[in-house]
Structure formats: C-alpha cells, structure tokens
Amino acid sequence: MAPMEPWERVWIDAEAFSEDVHSYINCTDCHGGQAVAEKDAAHTGLKPEVADDPETTCGQCHVDVAPYAKESLHNTLRGYDTALYARSEPEHHPAIEEMQSNHCDSCHADCGDCHVSQPTSVGGGLVAGHVFNRTPSMSQNCTACHGSRIKDEYYGAHEGIPSDVHFKQRMACVDCHTGDEMHGMKMEDVNHRYDGAQEPDCQSCHKIEMGTGDEEESEEENGIIREHVIHDETLMSCQVCHSTTYINCIDCHVEQTEEGTAFFRVDEHFLGFYVGLNPNQTEERPYKYVPLRHVPIAPDSFSFYGDDLLPNYEERPTWVYTTPHNIQRETPQTERCQGCHGNDDIFLTRDKLSREERRANRDVIVDEAPSMFGLGN
Amino acid sequence: MRKFLVLILALVMMLVPMVQAQEEVEVPEVVVERIMEYGELIPELDHYNTVSLDDFIVMLAEEEITILDVREDAEVEETGVIEGSVHIPLRTLGENLDKLPDQEAKIVVVCKGGFRATIGMTALHILGYENAFVLVGGFDAWVAEDLDVVDAPVEVEAAEVPEAIDPELMEYVAEYLMNLPENWGGVKAADLNIELIENPPDYLYDVRSAEEWADPGYIEGASHVWINEFIPMMEEWPTEKDANIVIYCASGYRGGIASTVMGLLGYTNVRNLSGGTKAWVAAELPLVQP
C-alpha cells in the first residue's frame, strides 16, 4: 500500500462520519480548543491526546467501560513498570521513567488508538476518516502494535513455521480477547499481563477435549483426549504441547545517534522453543511447566540514562513465561512421548544459558527433561 | 445575482454525474468482442495454453518459437535469460508489439513464476496472438533444473505491427498493461485469509472445474464459476465495476486469465490468488468440501 500523505491521515470523511453516532458530539467536547474559524484561537486549549484520561472524554458516555480502561494495562503500561522496577531500586525509577517516556510509551494505547486511529507502523492517522470502529481491526490495530511476536507467529510469517490454527479458522484477535479483557474489566489491580486467571482460557472453547464437559459421561463418550487428562493444568500450560517455534529477542539497548539522539535498538533474535518451570505458580495458573521466551533485557540496557540502573537484574528471569500465538494441533511434542520425555533439546537446561544469565533464571531452569519412567524435576 | 447562483448550481449538478462517470472505464466495443471470442476459444485450448517445463524443452528442440520474457529490466540484468529470449517488460508489452513475430507465430511468455506471464499471454490472446503460451513455473522452474541461461536477451529490430490488430484495441490493451498495479494484482494466501477474517472481498470466485471444487474442495465463501464458462457468463458478473473481487484456481493460471479479462473489461479491483489453492493449502489454510 502506498504511504498516505499527511493530510490523508487526518482527513475526516464528512459523509461517513455523519453516519457515526459520535458526529452528534462537538469536536471541542473531546479535543478541547475553541469552535471558531481563526486557527490560533481554535487551537487554544487543544488536547494533544484526547483520551489520556478516558473518564473525562469517552467516559462521559461510556461510563461502564472508561474507568476500567483507564487502569488497564493497555493504558497504563504497568507491565513495563513491574518488569523494570523489580530489577531496579526506587532511586533509579526517575531515570527509568524518563527512558520509558522516550522509548516505551509510544506503545501506550488509549481508547482512540484502538477505536479510531492506527499506529504509525501501518501508516498512522485515522483508520477510516474518523469513523469509530466498535471492534478494533486485527491488522490495523492489534497486530500493528503486537507485531514481531504475535502477528508474525499468528499469520505464519516465519518461514517454515505454519500460522496459528485459529488463524486458519479465520479467527480475529477479538474472537478470543474480549472487550471486557481488553478494557481491563475482568480484574482489578493487575500489574502484569499474566496476573490473575488465564484470559482468554483455552478451555472456554475446548471443553470437550480438555475433559471439562459433562462429567457424568465416560471419557470415550465425552471425546476427552487421554493425554489432556494425564498432562493436566497442574503439570503444564496448553502451549507446552501445542505451540511451536517462536521468536526470542536477545539484545536491547538504548543507543544514541551521532547527533546524540537516543534510540532503542533490538537487533538480535532467534527462533526457538524452550520449556521451563513456571516461577509463579498460582491457583489460577498452576502449571509447573510453561514455554519460556527470552526477553530483550541486559544489565546495561539503559546505561544511556544512568549507570547501573538495573542493579537487581538477577531478581527476575530473562526467560519468561510466554503464550505463543502459533498454536498447532500437532507439534513435535504431541507426535510421540519422546517429543518431551527424555528430550533435553526442548527444555531450558542450565547448559543453554550464558554464565551471566544463570542466576537470573535459576527459578525457571529445568535440570533435565522428565523421564519416560517417572517425572524428573 | 440569483440567476447567477442558479446557473452555478445547475453547472455543479451537471458536473457531479460527469465526475462519477469518469471513474468507470469506458470499454471499447472491439475489446468486448475480442474477449467474447476468447471466451469461446478457452475450452478448446490445451491446458489453457500453459506449457510445462518438459514440454517447453521439447518445443525448443522441435519447433520455431519466440520466448518472450516479460520480467522487469532489473530482474533480467540480475539473473540473465533463457537463450534466445526477447525481453519486453510486461507493462510495456502493448507498446512493443512491433518486436513480436506475426500473430500466428508460437510465443511462450516467461516471467519469474508464471503470474505476470499469464497476464501477458491473456493480453496477447485478446490482441489476436492465439498461439501465445505461458511457461508454468516461469524462469524459476528453468533455473531450478540447472538449465543454461545467457546474460542478455536478443536484440530485435522493430518491424510493423500486424495490420489485423485494431488500433483502438491495441491502444486500450497497452494502456491497461501500462497501469497494472505494483504487485500485478496478486494476493498471497495468508493476506487473503486476513481479509476473509476482517473485511471479506465482495466476490470470491473459484474458476476451477466442478471436480476440483468437490475434491480437494474450495475456500469457504467462494462461488464456483468454471473458467470455461466464465467469460460467456459475462452478463451475470457484478454490476459494480469497483467491487472487491478475488479469483482463484489451483495454481494461479486460470485465475490469471479470468482476472486479466475482468480488468480489461473495466473492473478496477480484481485480484488473483498467487499460487491458487496449492499455495493456500501449502500455507495450511483449510478447504471445505461441498
């Protein structure tokens, strides 16, 4: 697609927008400024980010959603704070916040970022002439931000790795990730995307295969897959068996141009699939084994903003619990028992880590692959 | 003053339908006639005038043929060509008919994989070159067999354009080829699946045979119109010339014929599934059976 001209990005299609219920609201009600013809006066009091505080804009009508959306991970990016503050000390937080403001906060998504505009990665500007989409577009919103990991895995963009089975069944992001979940209405005080219950939950659709259907009927009548009963959720997450190779990022640093402008660089990645221990087994996520993905962090990632900003680098794994979006019905793990049992290749064992990373990952490392004759670890 | 305003308003009202009418391409009668003739010819064509690499090698040995390489200049410079090839980039084909042999001559059109060559072959048929063929798998198939290539195409002296070609037809087809879109009107399997999830095309046509529709099956949401009947059923095509239309077959050749013909008849948003259902299945996307 040819890149849009700047005016096209902000073009309001009067005919289409007049069909939108939001056309009954004055522009200034959301955008601030003054409804006058003279430019400088019109721009006085303009809000650069309309929905920074969803409650005072969208929330005037969407009272049931906005208070939750305001506190959602999409809006607060609190997950970044959780991951970075755990590796630092309070005195480093101002420098880290400055770094986040310069490099991370562009990923922040307020109401309009999902419902009326699109990220710069897909051209930026308005999705459709300021017409609001009740349901965000998979390609123009969701995967425009969640690109290298989610999009490429889901669409099957990595050579030799098939697309997700749900993509093949024409399922969009919102078919699993509901509006309630996206607006943060499911749980309060969420500090990380893996806090609380598994949402979406595979079992909400795959009841029968998981053995959570009618318990009065026999396994055979119920269509229960025996392997699901043996390898229940206390032992592993669904992705351990049903995901395949995914992208792992290694190096991530704030660098600077010759002119001194700071920029974010992530330039190493590799495809791999590793199972490790779940360092945070909870009632909602009791899995012992989970797939692990390497996240792009190093002790000196943010040294541009100060020395030793991550003194507690080893307090959090660099291989983290992940839920890859390349689900397959059949994988090397489902093919035969030896796909996992006795197969150290797919487990994150100590020898796969550099010396510098061993302590940080002490809680997720598997000593050896579970044996066929009694489980190891 | 009031009379002046009324006059301006009347002029604006007259202009509105004119502006709208300009958006729709006016197709000369001679183009429609030629396409209908081509439609009658299609069922008689052996494999729809596609030539496998093996048959092409036999043709090279036994017959006098013209190899027409329609790839871009940069591609030809990078990879070389099959010896004896005439090189005319697809978009300029309509303007370089004077470099082709007479209309009865056997011409095998070659591109990288066969997609563009199918457009070229179809255009040549409409222009009256009824012995135009397309090499299945294109130059890539040739190279994959480690067959010899040469650095440069042959230089051809421009001759006369065959008198039998209607000038209006020639100009129209040349204009169509010149304005082919950046990706030649192809859509990849995964991208089509994304569209089917989010914003399905208005029409999805399967132009394979009834047997292929039944087994291995079709892409859910498609309508079946066999390529042999596609052009004769022209009157039942969508009335909206700007409708979003995707056509597919098994490998992309029949789909390429159908999409090229629709494009020539003024449909502005027709695409062909690159690689057809074979690419769709290779991407592990599902076919359904009736």
Side-chain angles (χ1 to χ4, degrees):
Chain A
M1 186 190 289
M4 283 195 292
E5 296 292 329
W7 67 266
E8 286 181 293
R9 294 183 201 147
V10 294
W11 176 255
I12 297 174
D13 184 332
E15 190 179 340
F17 186 57
S18 66
E19 303 282 315
D20 189 309
V21 69
H22 297 90
S23 65
Y24 292 97
I25 305 167
N26 292 324
C27 304
T28 52
D29 289 350
C30 293
H31 292 277
Q34 314 289 322
V36 294
E38 203 276 312
K39 182 184 166 189
D40 288 339
H43 285 194
T44 302
L46 202 65
K47 293 180 190 172
E49 294 291 339
V50 171
D52 257 356
D53 180 3
E55 283 186 282
T56 61
T57 49
C58 311
Q60 295 296 304
C61 294
H62 301 279
V63 290
D64 53 336
V65 174
Y68 295 98
K70 183 181 176 182
E71 296 301 321
S72 70
L73 292 179
H74 269 125
N75 197 49
T76 63
L77 298 182
R78 203 179 298 117
Y80 287 156
D81 296 343
T82 304
L84 293 176
Y85 292 172
R87 294 179 170 107
S88 66
E89 293 290 345
E91 64 263 33
H92 304 125
H93 293 181
I96 287 177
E97 278 172 24
E98 185 190 354
M99 181 282 297
Q100 285 184 271
S101 164
N102 290 339
H103 306 290
C104 306
D105 288 358
S106 59
C107 290
H108 144 96
D110 63 27
C111 310
D113 290 323
C114 293
H115 293 287
V116 71
S117 63
Q118 60 189 11
T120 49
S121 63
V122 290
L126 300 165
V127 172
H130 210 286
V131 173
F132 283 73
N133 291 326
R134 181 182 169 84
T135 304
S137 156
M138 179 170 73
S139 55
Q140 288 173 281
N141 298 113
C142 311
T143 60
C145 285
H146 300 277
S148 62
R149 285 179 279 191
I150 306 300
K151 174 185 164 185
D152 289 352
E153 287 169 9
Y154 195 64
Y155 290 1
H158 297 300
E159 195 174 344
I161 303 172
S163 56
D164 191 291
V165 70
H166 303 95
F167 176 71
K168 293 168 191 164
Q169 295 302 317
R170 299 190 191 175
M171 289 174 68
C173 307
V174 294
D175 290 327
C176 287
H177 298 281
T178 63
D180 283 0
E181 181 203 349
M182 293 296 96
H183 292 133
M185 296 166 74
K186 287 282 185 176
M187 285 169 289
E188 291 179 8
D189 301 326
V190 173
N191 292 309
H192 190 273
R193 63 181 149 152
Y194 293 134
D195 271 354
Q198 177 85 45
E199 181 69 36
D201 183 2
C202 308
Q203 294 190 34
S204 58
C205 286
H206 298 282
K207 285 190 179 73
I208 293 172
E209 302 95 312
M210 300 294 291
T212 49
D214 186 352
E215 291 175 5
E216 295 295 314
E217 294 179 16
S218 70
E219 286 186 9
E220 195 177 328
E221 287 167 338
N222 231 339
I224 295 170
I225 294 171
R226 184 168 160 263
E227 284 71 17
H228 288 158
V229 178
I230 299 168
H231 305 87
D232 69 4
E233 66 173 10
T234 63
L235 190 60
M236 62 183 64
S237 67
C238 303
Q239 290 85 358
V240 168
C241 282
H242 289 287
S243 75
T244 183
T245 311
Y246 42 79
I247 202 162
N248 293 273
C249 301
I250 294 292
D251 198 17
C252 156
H253 283 86
V254 176
E255 306 256 324
Q256 58 179 318
T257 63
E258 285 180 5
E259 293 75 36
T261 307
F263 69 97
F264 213 68
R265 179 178 62 79
V266 181
D267 61 1
E268 280 190 37
H269 63 265
F270 66 95
L271 291 165
F273 172 81
Y274 293 102
V275 176
L277 298 174
N278 177 5
N280 187 28
Q281 282 180 270
T282 60
E283 193 178 330
E284 290 114 336
R285 295 173 193 257
Y287 334 116
K288 178 179 179 184
Y289 293 107
V290 291
L292 300 173
R293 191 195 297 262
H294 197 282
V295 289
I297 186 106
D300 58 349
S301 281
F302 313 124
S303 53
F304 178 85
Y305 289 90
D307 293 333
D308 199 22
L309 290 183
L310 302 174
N312 304 325
Y313 171 74
E314 294 181 336
E315 291 305 307
R316 202 174 167 88
T318 54
W319 285 88
V320 303
Y321 164 37
T322 188
T323 48
H325 281 60
N326 58 8
I327 300 301
Q328 309 296 324
R329 190 163 189 266
E330 290 169 3
T331 65
Q333 302 90 283
T334 65
E335 207 169 87
R336 60 199 186 106
C337 303
Q338 290 88 338
C340 295
H341 291 280
N343 181 12
D344 280 345
D345 289 350
I346 68 160
F347 285 88
L348 188 75
T349 47
R350 190 176 169 80
D351 58 296
K352 296 187 180 78
L353 297 173
S354 65
R355 184 177 296 275
E356 296 74 37
E357 286 196 289
R358 284 181 184 165
R359 186 169 163 72
N361 292 291
R362 60 192 178 279
D363 293 337
V364 299
I365 293 172
V366 175
D367 290 336
E368 60 179 353
S371 160
M372 279 289 287
F373 308 99
L375 299 176
N377 281 304
Chain B
M1 184 63 182
R2 182 176 292 175
K3 275 185 184 171
F4 178 71
L5 284 173
V6 169
L7 185 64
I8 292 287
L9 187 65
L11 274 170
V12 168
M13 288 178 72
M14 282 169 65
L15 278 171
V16 167
M18 283 171 69
V19 169
Q20 286 173 342
Q22 277 174 358
E23 288 173 0
E24 203 161 281
V25 177
E26 198 169 312
V27 184
E29 192 55 39
V30 62
V31 175
V32 180
E33 284 171 11
R34 275 300 305 150
I35 286 176
M36 287 173 72
E37 286 170 22
Y38 180 47
E40 287 169 19
L41 181 69
I42 281 178
E44 297 169 22
L45 300 176
D46 187 23
H47 292 92
Y48 304 100
N49 273 20
T50 60
V51 179
S52 69
L53 181 62
D54 288 346
D55 289 344
F56 177 58
I57 292 168
V58 173
M59 283 169 86
L60 284 171
E62 296 181 349
E63 299 178 60
E64 190 174 324
I65 61 170
T66 296
I67 309 166
L68 172 61
D69 190 322
V70 295
R71 292 177 298 157
E72 299 292 277
D73 291 342
E75 294 173 271
V76 167
E77 280 165 22
E78 188 185 332
T79 65
V81 294
I82 300 169
E83 187 174 6
S85 296
V86 175
H87 174 226
I88 305 174
L90 181 59
R91 287 198 179 89
T92 64
L93 179 58
E95 298 167 335
N96 286 287
L97 298 178
D98 53 3
K99 292 180 182 167
L100 294 181
D102 60 68
Q103 288 181 293
E104 284 72 41
K106 222 167 209 181
I107 301 170
V108 179
V109 190
V110 177
C111 66
K112 185 175 187 300
F115 194 95
R116 283 171 281 175
T118 306
I119 299 171
M121 177 199 73
T122 307
L124 288 176
H125 271 272
I126 304 303
L127 290 163
Y129 293 84
E130 293 183 357
N131 280 318
F133 296 80
V134 58
L135 174 62
V136 172
F139 188 77
D140 282 354
W142 179 269
V143 173
E145 291 296 320
D146 281 334
L147 295 166
D148 291 340
V149 296
V150 295
D151 288 341
V154 294
E155 292 291 331
V156 182
E157 290 286 323
E160 293 293 316
V161 175
E163 282 183 11
I165 303 178
D166 184 291
E168 189 181 20
L169 173 70
M170 187 164 63
E171 189 183 342
Y172 182 85
V173 172
E175 180 82 10
Y176 170 77
L177 294 172
M178 184 61 75
N179 290 302
L180 283 168
E182 198 176 338
N183 66 353
W184 313 102
V187 56
K188 291 180 180 169
D191 291 336
L192 176 59
N193 198 47
I194 294 167
E195 286 185 38
L196 289 166
I197 292 170
E198 290 197 311
N199 186 25
D202 299 318
Y203 302 92
L204 179 62
Y205 291 133
D206 182 328
V207 294
R208 298 171 304 157
S209 67
E211 290 76 19
E212 292 168 285
W213 169 268
D215 182 17
Y218 60 93
I219 298 174
E220 191 171 0
S223 305
H224 180 232
V225 191
W226 188 24
I227 186 68
N228 288 22
E229 295 160 358
F230 191 79
I231 295 174
M233 291 173 69
M234 189 189 293
E235 287 184 1
E236 293 177 41
W237 290 1
T239 51
E240 327 90 88
K241 290 287 181 82
D242 61 349
N244 180 359
I245 300 167
V246 174
I247 302 175
Y248 71 86
C249 61
S251 304
Y253 297 99
R254 287 168 288 178
I257 293 170
S259 58
T260 303
V261 162
M262 288 196 93
L264 282 165
L265 286 172
Y267 286 85
T268 56
N269 193 9
V270 189
R271 289 168 299 157
N272 178 26
L273 175 61
S274 301
T277 52
K278 285 179 185 165
W280 182 265
V281 171
E284 298 191 8
L285 293 165
L287 297 174
V288 292
Q289 293 185 321

